[in-house]
């Protein structure tokens, strides 16, 4: 047997997994979500307010949240887009994947259906160049480097942030400096009304595709400064939907029968504040699913028997402390992921193709900030990560990866000018038990960011950044046994960005708020990792090939209106232009647009609320693309667009809040596919009831 490097931690992982999936969930998949951030200071102070002033406290709290959000968007040295609170509720979104579609500069790769893989691609850099963080700690996947955003429900998500480049705060883990873009998911914060020590939110959703989706969120105040959260959700759907597919010769309407999913998540969390004002949190997360895998509709094959099972568990903790001019953030994480893939269409000597993969990760992070004076801060962050992978494949390498990250950063912040710079050191070493290993890597990568207020008006700021970074080959890239081993270099990227933000609030007029942010950017990507055929179609190899040059522009416009009476209106518009071309002169597709990158894309959002009712409309447009490297008519993919509507009714019965929602997605029933041969659903419906006490 292979030696287990996580033997000690594995016992604890098995215990937690047993509780989460057996004791609490029986044979059903289970997913658990917990709150990891302390209650906001203003929330605790609000507990001393009398009950009859509760509405004023709530109104004041909402204004404070909006002010903080606008300040972050405006002063960030890197492009920042935020969806939070009520904005997330307005969208016709079931998962994080549905929500991020409305960010500018983003392509969501969606393989169809409620259970299809959904990954994010920012500014055409590739899915592996976007790091996903959950409550400040990165969600890892050493096997293929991708995070399936369709697995993360919005039920307990308070805020989603997307940073191009990196987060503009220098006090962060070294992991925060180590990717081309970052998506931050923030769980809901505990908040208790005066005189209350618990808070309950329950929701039930149903609709097309046989969807049954109950969820519950329970927040409890254990002591004056200690809080707990339990969040659980079940999602079950048959995934059956009609679709239309044509190749110009035939036109067929069929039913997708292989997209069923049954998933459960459970999260537990504790967080609090110590007597010295330091903050701490602990989160346990469990997820389990059983799902079909929608296949590509080609060669008159419409039904697929492949299935996949996932079990994911992680435990993470964080601690924050300020001592005078010194600040400390420490975090640790252990994760244990299991995946089984069954393909009855491939028969081996031992039976059907039935592969299992087991990943474990151990992670520690320490970030230190020292305030030299009122305008100068310095930071040193160090991360250590150990990844280990096992599989039942023939001649498997059993790889282990050791990663040490060190980042030094500095920030100069004046009244009108903010300058940040950092240098990241990456030390990486792979070890294997079978076959050759990738060896060691040692890289230094810098970043520089500037934010400038050129005029007296604080509403307008100019920002710019340069970032050099890379992504390491994944375990699949290096050690997947269907590929021949080869030495791979990292994918290197250079990013240049110049943009501005303008945010203005108004009083005594219908227009209450207007904001616009726009950025022009240029990205260079070299040594792109691709799979190319070998001596036969069954034996491929991974190679570093080609260069990509990306020129683009992102525009984001938002406005809020307060019209006559109780009528409120919000409007939002995003637009993205991208020219992402093959920049390798020796390539046969030199200067062709790279696959699945539209030159033009955008969204339009409109929301209206009147008393207890709210109506929201969203429009998403994706322009023409090519599904292969060669920009020829055979590979042309037509533009597509979708219209979505949602109607909400809110009421309150003796402190119990009720919310009824009806949604129509793809209102015009358009036939389209994000990925060629993976058709998306036509018109669909969803209904939900939410109860809060």
């Amino acid at each position: 047997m292979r030696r287990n490097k996580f033997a000690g931690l594995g016992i604890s992982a098995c215990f937690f997994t047993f509780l989460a999936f057996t004791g609490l969930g029986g044979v059903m998949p289970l997913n658990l979500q917990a709150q990891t951030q302390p209650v906001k200071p203003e929330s605790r102070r609000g507990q001393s307010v009398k009950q009859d002033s509760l509405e004023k406290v709530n109104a004041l709290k909402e204004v404070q949240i909006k002010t903080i959000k606008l300040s972050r968007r405006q002063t960030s040295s890197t492009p920042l887009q935020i969806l939070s609170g009520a904005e997330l509720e307005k969208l016709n979104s079931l998962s994080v994947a549905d929500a991020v579609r409305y960010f500018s500069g983003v392509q969501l790769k969606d393989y169809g259906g409620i259970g299809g893989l959904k990954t994010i691609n920012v500014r055409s850099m590739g899915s592996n160049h976007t790091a996903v963080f959950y409550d400040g700690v990165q969600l890892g996947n050493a096997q293929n480097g991708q995070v399936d955003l369709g697995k993360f429900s919005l039920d307990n998500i308070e805020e989603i942030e997307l940073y191009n480049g990196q987060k503009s705060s220098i006090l962060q883990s070294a992991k925060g400096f180590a990717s081309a873009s970052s998506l931050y998911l923030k769980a809901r914060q505990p908040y208790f009304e005066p005189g209350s020590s618990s808070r309950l939110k329950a929701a039930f959703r149903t609709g097309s595709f046989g969807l049954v989706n109950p969820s519950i969120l329970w927040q409890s105040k254990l002591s004056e400064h200690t809080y707990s959260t339990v969040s659980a959700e079940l999602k079950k759907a048959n995934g059956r939907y009609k679709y239309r597919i044509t190749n110009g010769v035939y036109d067929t309407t069929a039913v997708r029968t292989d997209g069923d999913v049954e998933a459960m998540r459970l999260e537990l969390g504790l967080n609090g504040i110590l007597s010295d004002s330091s903050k701490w949190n602990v989160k346990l997360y469990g997820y389990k699913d059983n799902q079909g895998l929608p296949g590509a509709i080609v060669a008159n094959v419409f039904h697929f028997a492949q299935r996949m099972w996932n079990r994911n568990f992680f435990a993470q903790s964080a601690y924050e402390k300020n001592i005078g001019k010194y600040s400390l953030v420490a975090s640790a994480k252990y994760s244990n992921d299991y995946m089984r893939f069954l393909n009855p269409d491939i028969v081996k000597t031992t039976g059907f193709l039935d592969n299992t993969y087991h990943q474990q990760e151990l992670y520690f992070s320490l970030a230190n900030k020292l305030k030299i004076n009122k305008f100068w801060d310095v930071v040193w962050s160090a991360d250590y990560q150990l990844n280990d992978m096992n599989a039942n494949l023939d001649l498997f390498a059993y790889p282990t990866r050791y990663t040490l990250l060190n980042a030094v950063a500095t920030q100069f912040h004046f009244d009108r000018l903010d300058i940040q710079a950092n240098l990241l050191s990456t030390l990486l070493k792979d070890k294997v038990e079978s076959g050759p290993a990738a060896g060691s890597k040692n890289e230094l990568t810098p970043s520089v960011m500037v934010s400038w207020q050129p005029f007296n008006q604080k509403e307008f700021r100019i920002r710019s950044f340069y970032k050099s970074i890379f992504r390491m080959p994944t375990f699949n890239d290096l050690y997947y046994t269907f590929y021949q081993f080869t030495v791979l270099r990292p994918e290197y990227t250079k990013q240049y960005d110049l943009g501005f933000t303008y945010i203005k609030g108004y009083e005594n007029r219908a227009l209450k708020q207007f904001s616009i942010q726009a950025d022009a950017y240029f990205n260079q990507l070299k040594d792109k990792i691709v799979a190319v055929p070998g001596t036969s179609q069954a034996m491929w190899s991974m190679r570093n090939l080609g260069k990509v040059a990306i020129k683009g522009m992102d525009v984001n416009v938002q406005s809020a209106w307060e019209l006559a009476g109780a009528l409120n209106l919000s409007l939002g518009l995003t637009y993205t232009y991208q020219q992402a071309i093959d920049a390798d002169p020796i390539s046969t597709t030199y200067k062709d647009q790279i696959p699945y990158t539209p030159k033009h894309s955008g969204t339009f959002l409109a929301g209206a609320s009147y008393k207890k009712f709210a109506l929201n409309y969203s429009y998403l447009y994706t322009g023409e693309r090519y599904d292969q490297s060669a920009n020829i008519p055979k590979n042309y993919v037509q533009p597509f667009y979708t219209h979505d509507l949602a109607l909400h009714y809110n009421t309150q019965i003796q402190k119990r809040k009720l919310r009824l929602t009806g949604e129509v997605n793809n209102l015009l029933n358009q036939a389209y596919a994000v990925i060629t041969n993976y058709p998306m659903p036509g018109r669909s419906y969803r209904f939900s009831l939410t109860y809060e006490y």
Side-chain angles (χ1 to χ4, degrees):
M1 293 181 61
R2 184 195 181 194
R3 179 173 58 86
N4 189 351
K5 301 176 179 61
F6 293 81
L9 290 172
I11 296 175
S12 300
C14 292
F15 173 72
F16 284 121
T17 306
F18 175 78
L19 286 180
F21 297 137
T22 307
L24 297 176
V27 297
M28 298 295 294
L30 183 63
N31 186 1
L32 161 74
Q33 181 146 349
Q35 211 60 25
T36 62
Q37 299 295 332
V39 175
K40 295 181 177 67
E42 62 266 29
S43 300
R44 295 193 301 274
R45 292 195 299 267
Q47 294 175 4
S48 63
V49 182
K50 295 180 179 179
Q51 185 67 30
D52 58 2
S53 62
L54 174 61
E55 293 183 0
K56 294 181 180 180
V57 173
N58 288 339
L60 178 59
K61 180 174 181 291
E62 290 178 1
V63 172
Q64 290 172 342
I65 289 176
K66 290 179 181 179
T67 302
I68 294 172
K69 182 172 63 177
L70 291 178
S71 177
R72 277 185 291 150
R73 282 174 171 162
Q74 189 172 17
T75 61
S76 176
S77 301
T78 55
L80 166 61
Q81 300 178 75
I82 304 174
L83 286 172
S84 63
E87 294 173 316
L88 288 173
E89 292 181 352
K90 292 177 182 179
L91 301 176
N92 290 34
S93 301
L94 186 64
S95 69
V96 171
D98 298 327
V100 299
R101 297 180 303 162
Y102 299 99
F103 286 140
S104 60
V106 166
Q107 295 105 40
L108 180 72
K109 290 190 174 181
D110 191 334
Y111 289 82
I114 197 167
L117 175 68
K118 297 169 177 60
T119 61
I120 185 175
N121 179 14
V122 179
R123 292 186 173 180
S124 299
M125 303 293 285
S127 300
N128 290 18
H129 286 280
T130 300
V132 182
F133 294 82
Y134 195 13
D135 282 339
V137 181
Q138 186 176 357
L139 297 170
N141 189 337
Q143 180 180 352
N144 57 32
Q146 298 184 352
V147 176
D148 186 355
L149 297 179
K151 293 182 178 180
F152 293 90
S153 168
L154 290 176
D155 183 66
N156 192 35
I157 297 295
E158 179 177 275
E159 186 173 78
I160 302 175
E161 297 177 317
L162 176 64
Y163 290 88
N164 294 106
Q166 64 194 39
K167 197 172 185 178
S168 56
S169 170
I170 62 169
L171 182 58
Q172 59 179 316
S173 66
K175 277 280 188 180
F177 298 99
S179 58
S181 59
S182 301
L183 185 72
Y184 284 82
L185 311 179
K186 183 179 179 182
R188 290 186 183 272
Q189 302 292 292
Y191 167 71
F192 303 101
E193 297 177 348
S196 173
S197 61
S198 64
R199 188 180 182 95
L200 175 69
K201 178 183 178 182
F204 181 81
R205 301 176 185 86
T206 187
S208 301
F209 323 128
L211 176 66
V212 176
N213 182 209
S215 63
I216 187 169
L217 171 65
W218 178 37
Q219 298 173 330
S220 180
K221 184 178 179 182
L222 303 180
S223 68
E224 186 63 26
H225 299 296
T226 307
Y227 313 90
S228 69
T229 302
V230 177
S231 179
E233 179 181 21
L234 167 69
K235 181 170 66 176
K236 187 175 182 179
N238 59 36
R240 297 173 65 91
Y241 61 87
K242 291 183 178 180
Y243 63 90
R244 176 185 170 190
I245 189 167
T246 179
N247 65 355
V249 178
Y250 67 86
D251 193 325
T252 302
T253 299
V255 176
R256 195 66 140 162
T257 59
D258 43 36
D260 64 290
V261 62
E262 185 176 312
M264 195 175 243
R265 72 168 172 83
L266 177 62
E267 278 187 71
L268 303 174
L270 287 173
N271 51 62
I273 301 176
L274 301 178
S275 57
D276 61 355
S277 298
S278 58
K279 303 175 184 179
W280 62 271
N281 65 69
V282 177
K283 177 193 287 287
L284 301 179
Y285 175 96
Y287 175 89
K288 186 179 181 182
D289 71 19
N290 175 3
Q291 65 179 71
L293 291 178
I297 308 299
V298 293
N300 292 321
V301 177
F302 299 94
H303 305 285
F304 301 87
Q306 294 92 340
R307 298 202 65 81
M308 184 168 65
W309 294 261
N310 289 282
R311 293 199 306 266
N312 308 110
F313 166 83
F314 69 75
Q316 68 183 46
S317 180
Y319 174 78
E320 301 178 28
K321 184 175 178 61
N322 296 314
I323 308 174
K325 296 184 177 182
Y326 173 73
S327 299
L328 166 72
V329 177
S331 57
K333 178 181 179 180
Y334 168 74
S335 64
N336 190 309
D337 300 327
Y338 168 87
M339 190 264 280
R340 177 190 173 196
F341 170 69
L342 174 66
N343 188 352
D345 295 330
I346 299 179
V347 180
K348 304 171 65 178
T349 56
T350 56
F352 297 138
L353 178 66
D354 192 351
N355 292 338
T356 59
Y357 304 87
H358 184 204
Q359 296 183 72
Q360 296 184 87
E361 178 183 298
L362 187 61
Y363 171 76
F364 298 99
S365 175
L366 184 65
N368 310 265
K369 184 175 81 170
L370 181 62
K371 188 174 184 62
I372 305 297
N373 52 42
K374 65 178 183 179
F375 61 84
W376 184 19
D377 298 334
V378 293
V379 165
W380 169 58
S381 299
D383 290 7
Y384 173 77
Q385 183 173 314
L386 172 62
N387 292 98
D388 181 79
M389 185 174 174
N390 199 348
N392 67 345
L393 302 177
D394 296 334
L395 302 176
F396 190 62
Y398 302 105
T400 301
R401 175 169 291 178
Y402 306 88
T403 305
L404 179 62
L405 302 173
N406 279 278
V408 290
T410 188
Q411 179 179 18
F412 297 92
H413 42 89
F414 306 100
D415 289 341
R416 295 190 183 183
L417 181 66
D418 186 281
I419 303 174
Q420 299 181 36
N422 65 264
L423 183 66
L424 175 68
S425 167
T426 302
L427 299 174
L428 182 144
K429 185 175 183 179
D430 280 8
K431 288 186 177 181
V432 299
E433 296 185 11
S434 175
S440 302
K441 295 290 188 297
N442 187 349
E443 299 282 352
L444 287 174
T445 49
S447 299
V448 179
M449 299 169 286
V450 178
S451 176
W452 177 42
Q453 177 191 320
F455 311 117
N456 290 331
Q457 293 81 7
K458 295 183 178 180
E459 294 85 358
F460 180 80
R461 293 187 74 93
I462 296 174
R463 64 187 176 204
S464 181
F465 78 86
Y466 163 78
K467 184 178 179 70
S468 174
I469 199 62
F470 65 97
R471 75 100 170 168
M472 290 300 302
T474 65
F475 283 166
N476 275 3
D477 293 337
L478 293 167
Y479 308 116
Y480 193 50
T481 54
F482 281 1
Y483 301 144
Q484 295 175 338
F485 174 83
T486 186
V487 176
L488 292 174
R489 296 181 299 277
E491 287 185 0
Y492 294 89
T493 69
K494 293 185 183 297
Q495 299 170 267
Y496 306 84
D497 183 281
L498 177 63
F500 72 89
T501 62
Y502 177 82
I503 300 176
K504 177 73 173 178
Y506 302 92
E507 295 181 359
N508 303 320
R509 55 189 298 183
L511 177 61
K512 293 300 179 183
Q513 178 185 299
F514 175 81
S515 68
I516 180 172
Q517 53 180 336
D519 290 86
Y521 55 88
F522 175 60
N523 301 332
Q524 292 178 306
L525 174 64
K526 73 172 185 175
D527 290 334
K528 187 172 180 62
I529 300 172
V530 297
V532 297
T535 56
S536 71
Q537 289 297 315
M539 185 65 68
W540 290 53
S541 62
M542 305 303 295
R543 303 284 177 84
N544 289 110
L545 294 175
K547 300 178 181 178
V548 176
I550 305 162
K551 298 177 183 178
M553 178 179 65
D554 292 339
V555 180
N556 191 316
V557 182
Q558 306 288 330
S559 65
W561 304 74
E562 194 173 280
L563 305 180
L567 180 61
N568 295 302
L569 181 67
S570 61
L571 300 173
L573 176 69
T574 68
Y575 168 74
T576 297
Y577 169 81
Q578 285 191 74
Q579 184 188 64
I581 62 171
D582 182 344
D584 189 349
I586 66 173
S587 172
T588 57
T589 57
Y590 179 52
K591 292 188 177 181
D592 280 359
Q593 190 88 343
I594 64 176
Y596 291 112
T597 301
K599 284 191 175 182
H600 305 280
S601 61
T603 64
F604 174 72
L605 303 175
S609 63
Y610 180 76
K611 295 183 178 179
K612 295 183 178 182
F613 292 91
L615 178 66
N616 297 288
Y617 164 79
S618 60
Y619 170 81
L620 186 147
Y621 173 81
T622 298
E624 59 184 13
R625 302 158 293 154
Y626 294 89
D627 59 14
Q628 300 292 331
S629 298
N631 293 179
I632 59 177
K634 178 183 176 182
N635 301 329
Y636 177 80
V637 180
Q638 291 185 344
F640 72 85
Y641 54 86
T642 60
H643 303 265
D644 301 326
L645 281 176
L647 178 64
H648 309 275
Y649 174 75
N650 300 277
T651 188
Q652 186 167 326
I653 305 174
Q654 296 181 348
K655 300 181 183 178
R656 295 166 173 83
K657 297 180 181 179
L658 293 176
R659 180 183 180 91
L660 296 171
T661 300
E663 304 174 30
V664 183
N665 297 291
N666 195 358
L667 180 66
L668 301 185
N669 199 33
Q670 186 186 33
Y672 73 100
V674 178
I675 304 297
T676 300
N677 298 322
Y678 287 85
M680 297 293 290
R683 186 185 300 112
S684 63
Y685 306 89
R686 190 160 60 233
F687 305 93
S688 64
L689 170 64
T690 304
Y691 168 88
E692 289 188 64
Y693 176 67

